[in-house]
Amino acid sequence: MPEQILEVTDVRKRFGDLAALGGVTLAVGAGELFGLLGPNGAGKTTLISILSGLTDADGGEVKLFGQPFNRAARDLRRLVGIGTQDLAIYPDLTPRENLRFFGKLYGLGGKSLESRVDAVLAEVGLTERANDRAGTFSGGMKRRLNLAAAVVHEPKLLFLDEPTTGVDPQSRNHIFRQVKALNAAGVTVIYTSHYMEEVQALCKRIAVLDGGKLLACDTLPNLLRTLDGRVRFTLAQPVAGFEERLAKVPGAKQVKALGGGIEVTTDSVPELLPVVMTLAGELGATVTAIDPREPTLERVFLHLTGRELRD
C-alpha cells in the first residue's frame, strides 16, 4: 500500500441514542482513488464530515499526513476539498464569481487566484459560460461547477459525495474524466456514489459501511472473489451423463439442474465457458442459450449488507 495519507482508528460518533459510527478503522494511501459504499443511514455522511474536518468524532483518532486531524486543525483542513451531495454553489453568482469566493475562503488572492479560476473553469468545461448566472445552468453543469469549487484551492485529499447525482450522460462522462485526471495528478480521492457501476469502474480499493460498522475494506478483485461466478445454459434436450461430467471439470464448484438446463458455479466464468462448450460438443449436446454471470460489486454489496444500495 502507498504511504498512508489518511489513518482512521476506532472512530465513533453518537447522536443521542443513535450510534452513527461504532468504531471504524481504515487507512487510505496517497494517490488512491478509494470507494466508500453504504446504504442510506450507514454512517457515510457522518464519517465524511469527520474526515473532512466539518465535525469532530466522539472517540477514536484521525490522522492526516501523519498528524492528528480535527476541526481545529485549520492548516490541515486547507489540504482537503469536498464536493458535497447537496450543491454548494451560489445560483445568483456566475461560475467565475463562485470560484473566486471559494478560492478566497482558502486564502487565495490576486493573480494566482485569477489564474487558478481560469484553469479550473477550463478543466470542467465551463469557460464559455464563466460569466452567466449559475442558476440558469442545467443539473450537469451545476455538478461540474460544484466539483470546480471543491478543487479550486488544489487540495491534496478530495472527498466526492454523490458527484453525478441527477446529471446527464455527457456531464457524467466529463466528471469521470476530471476525477481520473485529478487522481492521475496526485490528488487522493475518496469517492462515494449510489451508482455501483461508477465505483467499480473508478476505484481500485473499496470500503463497505453499514450500521456504523465497516463490513469490508479491500481491493476490488479481492471483494469480487468473495462470490462465485455462475454459468447457466439451456440444452435442446437432456443428455445423459452431462451433469456428472461437468462436476469433474476443473473450476466447476457446484453443478445443479434447472428447468431445461444446468447451472455451474465457478471461480472463473471466462475459463469455464469454453470448457462447457467443448464438453457439449463431445457429448453431442446442443446448447440453445448461455447466461454467464460474473461477480459484480453490486452483488458483493448485497451479500455483505443484505440490502440494495438505495434502501
Side-chain angles (χ1 to χ4, degrees), residues 65-85:
F65 298 102
Q67 302 179 54
F69 181 63
N70 53 38
R71 290 181 65 192
R74 294 180 62 88
D75 288 344
L76 287 176
R77 288 179 66 185
R78 293 177 187 274
L79 302 178
V80 177
I82 180 167
T84 55
Q85 180 176 358

Side-chain angles (χ1 to χ4, degrees), residues 18 21 30 32 39 50 61 63 93 114 134 137 143 175 185 194-195 197 208-209 215 223 229 252 256 262 301 308:
L18 174 65
L21 295 174
E32 278 200 270
I50 292 169
E61 183 180 44
K63 286 186 177 181
L93 300 181
E114 293 304 313
F137 287 1
R143 282 286 165 193
I175 290 171
H194 276 122
Y195 301 110
E197 69 277 8
V208 179
L209 195 69
L215 302 185
L223 287 173
K256 64 180 180 180
I262 299 174
F301 182 89
E308 297 288 349

Side-chain angles (χ1 to χ4, degrees), residues 20-311:
L21 295 174
V24 173
T25 297
L26 58 83
V28 179
E32 278 200 270
L33 209 171
F34 184 89
L36 180 62
L37 294 175
N40 290 338
K44 299 192 308 296
T45 299
T46 300
L47 182 60
I48 290 174
S49 295
I50 292 169
L51 301 186
S52 58
L54 297 178
T55 190
D56 286 330
D58 294 334
E61 183 180 44
V62 178
K63 286 186 177 181
L64 184 62
F65 298 102
Q67 302 179 54
F69 181 63
N70 53 38
R71 290 181 65 192
R74 294 180 62 88
D75 288 344
L76 287 176
R77 288 179 66 185
R78 293 177 187 274
L79 302 178
V80 177
I82 180 167
T84 55
Q85 180 176 358
D86 295 324
L87 293 171
I89 59 175
Y90 292 92
D92 290 333
L93 300 181
T94 67
R96 188 177 300 280
E97 291 168 339
N98 267 285
L99 296 185
R100 282 173 179 161
F101 172 76
F102 286 107
K104 288 178 180 178
L105 288 180
Y106 283 96
L108 302 180
K111 292 183 178 179
S112 62
L113 173 59
E114 293 304 313
S115 176
R116 180 60 184 158
V117 167
D118 286 340
V120 175
L121 286 170
E123 289 167 1
V124 298
L126 291 176
T127 299
E128 294 183 1
R129 300 293 300 274
N131 298 311
D132 297 337
R133 276 198 324 113
T136 66
F137 287 1
S138 67
M141 293 171 68
K142 289 176 181 177
R143 282 286 165 193
R144 283 149 54 191
L145 179 57
N146 203 55
L147 174 59
V151 301
V152 67
H153 61 295
E154 297 185 275
K156 301 298 183 184
L157 173 62
L158 175 63
F159 291 90
L160 293 177
D161 189 8
E162 305 288 348
T164 63
T165 298
V167 307
D168 57 275
Q170 182 179 3
S171 288
R172 178 173 292 180
N173 289 336
H174 202 123
I175 290 171
F176 278 4
R177 289 196 299 270
Q178 186 59 22
V179 170
K180 290 178 179 179
L182 286 164
N183 185 240
V187 179
T188 302
V189 180
I190 296 179
Y191 191 101
T192 180
S193 175
H194 276 122
Y195 301 110
M196 199 76 70
E197 69 277 8
E198 291 186 2
V199 177
Q200 183 162 347
L202 291 172
C203 303
K204 294 183 178 179
R205 209 161 61 91
I206 298 159
V208 179
L209 195 69
D210 194 18
K213 298 285 187 178
L214 190 68
L215 302 185
C217 183
D218 211 332
T219 64
L220 177 61
N222 283 345
L223 287 173
L224 295 179
R225 275 194 287 269
T226 62
L227 294 181
D228 292 327
R230 65 177 184 263
V231 179
R232 292 177 178 175
F233 55 94
T234 305
L235 301 177
Q237 58 186 15
V239 175
F242 200 3
E243 289 179 49
E244 290 78 6
R245 289 284 300 275
L246 274 177
K248 297 177 182 179
V249 167
K253 300 179 73 172
Q254 184 179 18
V255 179
K256 64 180 180 180
L258 300 174
I262 299 174
E263 179 181 272
V264 186
T265 58
T266 177
D267 287 332
S268 177
V269 171
E271 291 180 9
L272 184 70
L273 276 173
V275 177
V276 170
M277 297 308 296
T278 299
L279 181 59
E282 291 176 359
L283 297 178
T286 301
V287 178
T288 58
I290 300 177
D291 180 15
R293 298 188 183 185
E294 296 191 70
T296 64
L297 187 57
E298 185 169 8
R299 284 181 57 203
V300 171
F301 182 89
L302 185 60
H303 171 73
L304 290 171
T305 67
R307 292 194 273 173
E308 297 288 349
L309 191 56
R310 288 195 175 275
D311 282 356

